[in-house]
Amino acid sequence: GVRHYWLVDPQQRTVEMLELGPDGRYVRALAGAEGRLDVIPGCEGLVLDPAALWAEIERLGPPSPSDD
């Protein structure tokens, strides 16, 4: 099993991290839409700033048809 996985939704502007629990089910380990995320389970030293992420996505614009 995959220990952690991320759900990043640019339309809802949310970030969610799920972690595999001892019972084999995934539970939410982290969720955020605003503010800086300084403590990320299993990713020591990683800092995530959702507002900066959304700003970068807006700066890049929509994907071109060749990106599919």
Side-chain angles (χ1 to χ4, degrees):
V2 176
R3 184 163 182 217
H4 297 100
Y5 73 90
W6 295 77
L7 300 172
V8 179
D9 187 336
Q11 291 178 333
Q12 297 294 317
R13 295 187 176 220
T14 59
V15 176
E16 192 173 4
M17 177 189 192
L18 291 101
E19 182 173 28
L20 186 61
D23 63 354
R25 295 179 185 213
Y26 286 95
V27 294
R28 183 184 295 162
L30 172 78
E34 297 178 4
R36 187 174 140 136
L37 304 173
D38 292 321
V39 178
I40 300 174
C43 300
E44 185 178 335
L46 178 63
V47 174
L48 182 62
D49 181 350
L53 176 64
W54 311 138
E56 183 66 12
I57 289 171
E58 285 179 10
R59 186 188 72 75
L60 292 171
S64 66
S66 63
D67 290 342
D68 291 338

